[in-house]
């Protein structure tokens, strides 16, 4: 009689795993590597987007996923008559916190220390990675389990740990899919949104056996079976891990309490089983009081997963003797956040609570996905946050403010009312000022348009030239990709063929009058 698929295999030790021919010899310490190259080494958004647009399966996956999440969010928000008041409250709390961020951070450090945690300050990604790697190596372990964390992805902590010989196992289901697929996240809330069930099944069958408990050979693409395979694969890692790494959705200055909201329970496992917990937290995550948390516990679930409440909300305050990790470290990371704080027009980006509502509503994101943005923060918020955090020295960050139609839908759904369209315009000016002195096509085109429109005789000349082109190519409906300097515009747009006869010419022929 065969064993039911849902039954869990017996737990095996690392030594037993290494002796299993179905599992690679270094499976317990080697993690799947992401694709080569850093985010900052990627091409600009426009080039990335063109590549992603050619992927029909990607567009189909994104359209289905974002449409489903949008509909759920709309239903849950409609249940709250005071929704706009909640948004205004969330905006006000975040603004007050950012105005006095230095005070609240000092208070947070004092509260954490009083609760038994050790606080570390990191200026940038390199310093944060060094702190975490040193803490892990000091425990004498070669693997850690991780709660889903945007901050650790931002600083590329997994890569730093791998370079130090430490395997970092992602335990969130979507993050596990991304990791096993040697991929990068493409969404803030659902990192594997660009994958469908069939693709996930193939990844599990191909990769799980390389890094631990394999997926059953007869597994289907049923979500329950895929989740069961992930649960079995991760269980051994949970039970043997001595160190866990997390982020935090919120950090309460008043009490030193860190908060993580999630949907699967993997975070709860990471936050309770290991002996040591290291939390990497962006300095903008601080909230003044526990009472402030109430507002965000209503805003965040509805805006992110379209739920009234997250299935798991974990809150921990330092060390509790005999309960949970007995050594707690909190790494507070700047990594460009004070640069954004210093810019009054860029500061609202730090209000972001990582709900991803702006991604799910954005028509640009829906068509190109997250990888085109070259960051763990994709979509509209990524288009304003990345240039704020990383500066505009790199090609990809200079291109991100233009990754938008400025339709304004992102502001309408943002639970903390971040004026993303206004910020995009501000950043476009910053990029233009940064490029000042370099040859630019757009100002030249605008100057030419100004000359054409400044005098009706100039306009008539342009019409005659356009009509000449139409007569040379009489059987063509659209002008295809034109040579430079028109190529950047026409290679992505259909330019209609101008009429052979202008309205002015028709008027003269049919009315016999001159148009002044």
């Amino acid at each position: 009689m065969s064993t039911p698929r849902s039954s869990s295999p017996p737990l095996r030790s690392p030594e037993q795993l290494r002796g299993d021919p179905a599992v690679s010899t270094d499976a317990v310490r080697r993690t799947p590597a992401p694709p080569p190259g850093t985010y900052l080494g990627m091409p600009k958004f426009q080039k990335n987007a063109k590549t992603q647009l050619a992927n029909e399966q990607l567009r189909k996956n994104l359209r289905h996923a974002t449409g489903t999440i949008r509909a759920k969010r709309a239903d849950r928000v409609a249940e709250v008559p005071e929704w706009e008041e909640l948004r205004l409250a969330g905006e006000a709390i975040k603004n007050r916190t950012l105005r006095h961020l230095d005070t609240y951070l000092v208070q947070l450090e004092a509260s954490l220390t009083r609760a038994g945690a050790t606080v570390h300050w990191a200026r940038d990604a390199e310093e944060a990675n060094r702190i975490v790697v040193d803490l892990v190596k000091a425990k004498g372990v070669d693997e850690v389990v991780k709660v889903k964390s945007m901050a650790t992805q931002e600083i590329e902590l997994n890569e730093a740990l791998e370079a130090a010989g430490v395997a970092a196992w992602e335990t969130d289901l979507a993050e596990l899919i991304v990791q096993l697929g040697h991929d990068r996240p493409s969404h803030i809330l659902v990192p594997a949104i660009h994958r469908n069930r069939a693709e996930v099944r193939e990844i599990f069958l191909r990769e799980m056996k390389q890094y631990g408990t394999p997926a059953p050979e007869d597994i289907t693409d049923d979500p329950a079976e895929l989740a069961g395979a992930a649960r079995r694969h991760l269980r051994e890692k949970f039970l043997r891990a001595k160190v866990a790494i997390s982020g935090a959705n919120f950090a309460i200055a008043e009490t030193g309490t860190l908060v993580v909201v999630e949907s699967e329970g993997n975070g709860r496992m990471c936050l309770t089983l290991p002996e040591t917990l290291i939390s990497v937290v962006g300095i903008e995550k601080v909230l003044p009081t526990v009472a402030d948390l109430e507002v965000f516990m209503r805003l965040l679930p509805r805006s992110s997963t379209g739920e009234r409440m997250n299935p798991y909300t974990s809150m921990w305050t330092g060390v509790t003797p005999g309960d949970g990790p007995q050594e707690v470290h909190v790494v507070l990371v700047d990594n460009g956040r004070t640069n954004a704080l210093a810019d009054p027009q860029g500061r609202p980006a730090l209000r972001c609570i990582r709900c991803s509502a702006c991604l799910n509503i954005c028509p640009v994101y829906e068509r190109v996905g997250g990888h085109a943005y070259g960051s763990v923060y994709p979509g509209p918020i990524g288009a304003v946050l990345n240039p704020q955090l990383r500066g505009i020295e790199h090609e990809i960050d200079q291109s991100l403010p233009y990754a938008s139609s400025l339709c304004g839908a992102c502001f309408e759904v943002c639970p903390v009312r971040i004026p993303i369209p206004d910020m995009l315009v501000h950043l476009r000016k910053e990029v233009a000022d940064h490029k000042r002195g370099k040859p630019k096509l757009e100002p030249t085109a605008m100057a030419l348009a100004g000359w054409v429109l400044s005098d009706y005789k100039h306009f008539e000349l342009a019409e005659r030239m356009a009509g000449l082109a139409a007569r040379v190519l009489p059987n063509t409906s659209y002008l295809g990709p034109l040579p430079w300097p028109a190529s950047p515009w026409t290679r992505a747009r259909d330019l209609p063929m101008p009429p052979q006869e202008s309205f002015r010419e028709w008027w003269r022929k049919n009315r016999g009058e001159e148009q002044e």
Side-chain angles (χ1 to χ4, degrees), residues 89-100:
E91 176 187 13
I93 292 169
K94 279 289 189 176
N95 283 344
R96 184 180 79 243
T97 305
L98 293 172
R99 284 197 303 271
H100 306 288

Side-chain angles (χ1 to χ4, degrees), residues 132-367:
V132 176
V133 169
D134 288 348
L135 290 171
V136 173
K137 298 295 284 185
K139 305 308 294 183
V141 301
D142 62 0
E143 65 175 347
V144 298
V145 289
K146 290 182 72 248
V147 186
K148 179 179 181 295
S149 164
M150 302 298 296
T152 60
Q153 292 170 1
E154 173 192 330
I155 64 176
E156 297 191 328
L157 177 60
N158 286 14
E159 290 80 354
L161 288 168
E162 181 70 20
V166 178
W169 304 116
E170 296 290 353
T171 64
D172 174 83
L173 177 57
E175 290 286 358
L176 177 67
I177 294 167
V178 169
Q179 187 177 51
L180 290 176
H182 306 273
D183 204 349
R184 291 193 182 276
S186 64
H187 192 275
I188 289 176
L189 177 69
V190 194
I193 197 172
H194 56 291
R195 300 287 194 181
N196 59 34
R197 297 185 306 184
E199 291 173 305
V200 173
R201 173 184 177 275
E202 293 303 315
I203 290 172
F204 280 10
L205 282 172
R206 183 180 68 246
E207 300 291 336
M208 276 187 172
K209 59 188 175 184
Q210 303 295 324
Y211 305 101
T213 303
E217 291 296 329
D218 58 347
I219 190 173
T220 71
D221 63 0
D222 179 71
E225 290 191 34
L226 296 173
R231 188 178 300 114
R232 291 188 292 271
H233 180 80
L234 290 170
R235 183 172 288 119
E236 289 170 318
K237 295 176 170 58
F238 281 134
L239 294 181
R240 70 170 181 257
K242 303 297 183 184
V243 179
I245 296 175
S246 82
N249 292 95
F250 306 101
I252 311 301
E254 178 184 42
T255 60
T257 301
L258 300 185
V259 183
V260 163
V261 296
E262 48 150 341
S263 298
E264 300 167 12
N266 61 292
R268 185 71 56 84
M269 297 283 282
C270 291
L271 297 170
T272 54
L273 289 178
E275 299 168 0
T276 300
L277 174 62
I278 304 170
S279 298
V280 181
V281 184
I283 57 174
E284 83 284 10
K285 296 297 184 69
V286 65
L287 291 178
T289 69
V290 175
D292 295 323
L293 186 63
E294 176 191 358
V295 173
F296 296 97
M297 286 295 96
R298 298 187 70 192
L299 287 170
L300 180 56
R302 288 175 169 84
S303 298
S304 57
T305 56
E307 296 172 294
R308 299 179 182 92
M309 181 183 294
N310 287 91
Y312 295 88
T313 299
S314 300
M315 304 172 67
W316 69 101
T317 306
V319 175
T320 301
D323 184 13
Q326 296 302 290
E327 186 176 338
V328 174
H329 297 268
V330 179
V331 183
L332 296 174
V333 181
D334 184 336
N335 202 38
R337 285 160 174 79
T338 53
N339 295 334
L341 187 67
D343 181 359
Q345 291 179 280
R347 188 180 304 159
L350 297 180
R351 297 204 297 258
C352 177
I353 58 175
R354 311 292 193 264
C355 70
S356 76
C358 62
L359 280 69
N360 300 325
I361 200 70
C362 178
V364 177
Y365 176 87
E366 185 181 297
R367 286 157 179 79

Side-chain angles (χ1 to χ4, degrees), residues 353-474:
I353 58 175
R354 311 292 193 264
C355 70
S356 76
C358 62
L359 280 69
N360 300 325
I361 200 70
C362 178
V364 177
Y365 176 87
E366 185 181 297
R367 286 157 179 79
V368 303
H371 292 154
Y373 294 83
S375 170
V376 296
Y377 303 117
I381 188 59
V384 296
L385 189 59
N386 293 317
Q388 291 286 329
L389 297 181
R390 304 191 304 206
I392 52 175
E393 302 300 320
H394 299 276
E395 182 182 58
I396 192 163
D397 292 317
Q398 294 173 3
S399 69
L400 287 178
Y402 299 91
S404 171
S405 64
L406 300 179
C407 68
C410 48
F411 171 75
E412 296 300 325
V413 299
C414 177
V416 288
R417 294 171 50 86
I418 300 174
I420 293 177
D422 295 342
M423 296 176 67
L424 288 169
V425 174
H426 166 65
L427 287 168
R428 290 180 184 186
K429 176 184 178 299
E430 294 291 312
V431 172
D433 290 344
H434 179 77
K435 292 182 177 181
R436 184 168 293 166
K438 301 178 183 179
K440 296 183 285 291
L441 178 60
E442 186 176 358
T444 303
M446 291 298 103
L448 178 60
W451 180 85
V452 170
L453 298 173
S454 64
D455 189 297
Y456 81 93
K457 293 181 179 179
H458 299 167
F459 190 78
E460 284 187 333
L461 176 61
E463 285 182 325
R464 285 196 294 271
M465 294 178 65
L468 177 62
R471 287 189 287 271
V472 171
L473 300 169

Side-chain angles (χ1 to χ4, degrees), residues 64-91:
H64 172 73
T66 57
T68 300
I69 298 173
R70 279 199 306 270
K72 289 181 62 179
R73 176 202 169 274
D75 289 342
R76 296 289 82 79
V77 167
E79 297 174 348
V80 184
E82 68 275 18
W83 181 252
E84 189 59 26
E85 286 77 9
L86 281 171
R87 292 180 71 211
L88 289 166
E91 176 187 13

Side-chain angles (χ1 to χ4, degrees), residues 1-10 216-219 225 232:
M1 182 171 158
S2 61
T3 304
R5 280 189 204 143
S6 59
S7 65
S8 301
E217 291 296 329
D218 58 347
I219 190 173
E225 290 191 34
R232 291 188 292 271

